[in-house]
Amino acid sequence: MNKNNYALIMAGGVGSRFWPVSRTEFPKQFIDFFGVGKTLIQSTYDRFLDICPAENIFIVTNEQYVTLIKEQLPAISDNQILAEPIMRNTAPCIAYGSMKIAELNPDAIIVVAPSDHTIANQPAFKTAIEQSLTAAAATDSLITLGIKPSRPDTGYGYIQYTENTLASDEQIHKVKLFTEKPNIELARTFIQSGDFLWNAGIFIWSARSINNAFKKHLPDMHEIFQLGAQTYNTDMEKPFISNAYLQCTNISIDFGIMEKAENVYVLPADFGWSDLGTWSSIYDMADKDYVGNAVIPSDQVMMFDSSNCMVNMPKEKLVILQGLHDFIVVESNDILLICPRTEEERVKQIVADVKGKFGAKFI
């Protein structure tokens, strides 16, 4: 295993679309949605043990989740947990992680990945990551993984690529543009064109390449984190970061760097990826009965004349559903949500309304 391979796992999100199961104090990356005995972050961590040494896996998260990280990933050392004092989107956390890792190993090649995605085909994932790591080590390129789309989905951003490829790897294409989530008509056009991929939010680059990109495209942010170079991996790191984050703008890595840089490439891949962004994505991946009901866990849920429902209930509760079709039924933390599957996009607004009426008690 290459000692220069590193992973930076982003685990700071709240996952409000999975409310009430995902709460601010216990967000979705720490939940076992499928009843498999591993939470999403545990599965992500295990996935990278096949790719880089355990001591080279770093977790960046909000400081309020540090205890949860230690509980769920007991093999992780304190120095491998990057605690953000406030949420500032993906660019600051990647700048922080990349510079911290570069201080440990200037020759580091880094994979940046979310903690809350699922991968059905681990061997294919490992092959794609290792192929990208090899290319990133040999070139000054910023590589992202693009998922070959199976349908015109409006829930994902898209990446358009050209026929130009890396000289060292003809499967890795030059990126033409990134585009935000499209409407259904535009999504169909993307699929028909054949040169668009889903944006998986997984990045591979050398520490040098990404730090140079920050210096060029986000110079203020680069300077903020570069000032603390001597504090990384020391007792002075935490107080420095507490001050540094207060100075950072809230900006994503896509908007801040990937959409601006000239050396951005994409590897088209297919490894059973899902970003688990909605209850529908859980429904799509879950086992279903003969009438399309996905029930997790299923021990004490009885369905009568009901079909195509997504049901997630506490194990100890007996639940009987009669005459319900195409609904989401979820209970957790003494909160019950019943919502048509076609209207689940309203969950974020529901959460906002609940917060407005009851405060943060139920959020």
Side-chain angles (χ1 to χ4, degrees), residues 56-251:
N56 289 6
I57 302 176
F58 290 77
I59 313 292
V60 57
T61 190
N62 191 278
E63 61 185 17
Q64 68 177 315
Y65 303 138
V66 168
T67 299
L68 284 172
I69 295 289
K70 291 181 177 181
E71 289 174 356
Q72 296 203 0
L73 301 175
I76 288 282
S77 70
D78 288 349
N79 193 50
Q80 291 171 269
I81 302 174
L82 287 66
E84 298 180 288
I86 51 177
M87 293 184 180
R88 279 293 186 266
N89 217 314
T90 53
C93 79
I94 290 172
Y96 173 23
S98 298
M99 292 189 191
K100 176 181 170 73
I101 290 171
E103 287 300 313
L104 289 170
N105 182 355
D107 297 321
I109 312 299
I110 306 169
V111 182
V112 179
S115 61
D116 53 4
H117 293 185
T118 61
I119 306 296
N121 189 337
Q122 171 65 16
F125 175 79
K126 181 182 179 183
T127 296
I129 294 294
E130 289 182 338
Q131 181 178 353
S132 301
L133 286 166
T134 298
T139 63
D140 177 29
S141 54
L142 308 176
I143 301 171
T144 185
L145 297 187
I147 307 301
K148 297 174 183 177
S150 58
R151 61 188 181 277
D153 200 302
T154 61
Y156 300 138
Y158 285 73
I159 302 170
Q160 185 180 24
Y161 62 93
T162 72
E163 294 183 358
N164 297 330
T165 62
L166 281 176
S168 60
D169 191 326
E170 294 184 352
Q171 292 182 316
I172 301 178
H173 292 257
K174 186 82 166 59
V175 169
K176 184 175 183 179
L177 64 85
F178 290 85
T179 184
E180 296 299 319
K181 299 173 183 178
N183 58 37
I184 188 62
E185 292 79 12
L186 192 55
R188 291 193 183 107
T189 301
F190 289 169
I191 301 302
Q192 292 169 359
S193 73
D195 58 355
F196 279 83
L197 304 164
W198 288 337
N199 186 351
I202 301 172
F203 310 101
I204 305 94
W205 42 49
S206 68
R208 289 189 182 91
S209 293
I210 189 59
N211 289 336
N212 285 337
F214 272 101
K215 187 175 183 179
K216 180 176 181 180
H217 301 290
L218 290 174
D220 291 345
M221 190 174 295
H222 177 268
E223 183 177 359
I224 288 168
F225 287 102
Q226 188 62 42
L227 286 173
Q230 300 305 312
T231 73
Y232 296 136
N233 310 298
T234 74
D235 292 339
M236 295 303 297
E237 179 177 327
K238 184 174 180 179
F240 168 77
I241 289 299
S242 294
N243 180 62
Y245 263 71
L246 296 175
Q247 304 172 57
C248 288
T249 54
N250 188 324
I251 188 170

Side-chain angles (χ1 to χ4, degrees), residues 25-45:
E25 292 183 356
F26 203 90
K28 70 171 183 173
Q29 59 268 30
F30 302 107
I31 297 169
D32 175 9
F33 279 101
F34 299 100
V36 296
K38 286 183 182 181
T39 64
L40 297 180
I41 193 170
Q42 287 172 331
S43 296
T44 302
Y45 175 80

Side-chain angles (χ1 to χ4, degrees), residues 175-353:
V175 169
K176 184 175 183 179
L177 64 85
F178 290 85
T179 184
E180 296 299 319
K181 299 173 183 178
N183 58 37
I184 188 62
E185 292 79 12
L186 192 55
R188 291 193 183 107
T189 301
F190 289 169
I191 301 302
Q192 292 169 359
S193 73
D195 58 355
F196 279 83
L197 304 164
W198 288 337
N199 186 351
I202 301 172
F203 310 101
I204 305 94
W205 42 49
S206 68
R208 289 189 182 91
S209 293
I210 189 59
N211 289 336
N212 285 337
F214 272 101
K215 187 175 183 179
K216 180 176 181 180
H217 301 290
L218 290 174
D220 291 345
M221 190 174 295
H222 177 268
E223 183 177 359
I224 288 168
F225 287 102
Q226 188 62 42
L227 286 173
Q230 300 305 312
T231 73
Y232 296 136
N233 310 298
T234 74
D235 292 339
M236 295 303 297
E237 179 177 327
K238 184 174 180 179
F240 168 77
I241 289 299
S242 294
N243 180 62
Y245 263 71
L246 296 175
Q247 304 172 57
C248 288
T249 54
N250 188 324
I251 188 170
S252 70
I253 194 70
D254 297 79
F255 186 74
I257 289 181
M258 301 301 282
E259 294 180 11
K260 299 174 181 177
E262 295 295 324
N263 57 333
V264 178
Y265 289 79
V266 62
L267 174 64
D270 186 5
F271 38 72
W273 169 87
S274 173
D275 73 343
L276 293 189
T278 62
W279 281 112
S280 285
S281 60
I282 298 286
Y283 176 84
D284 290 341
M285 297 191 66
D287 294 333
K288 304 172 189 65
D289 64 17
Y290 71 101
V291 287
N293 294 312
V295 184
I296 309 170
S298 59
D299 297 353
Q300 296 190 158
V301 177
M302 301 177 68
M303 310 280 289
F304 299 95
D305 186 28
S306 299
S307 64
N308 302 317
C309 290
M310 173 70 241
V311 183
N312 187 295
M313 305 297 291
K315 290 182 179 181
E316 67 278 5
K317 177 156 289 193
L318 173 62
V319 178
I320 296 95
L321 298 178
Q322 165 71 42
L324 210 58
H325 304 279
D326 297 291
F327 266 77
I328 297 166
V329 183
V330 181
E331 181 178 342
S332 184
N333 304 295
D334 296 322
I335 302 168
L336 174 64
L337 172 70
I338 302 173
C339 173
R341 286 177 53 210
T342 56
E343 297 181 29
E344 73 165 325
E345 289 298 322
R346 296 185 61 188
V347 171
K348 287 194 76 172
Q349 184 57 50
I350 289 170
V351 173
D353 291 345

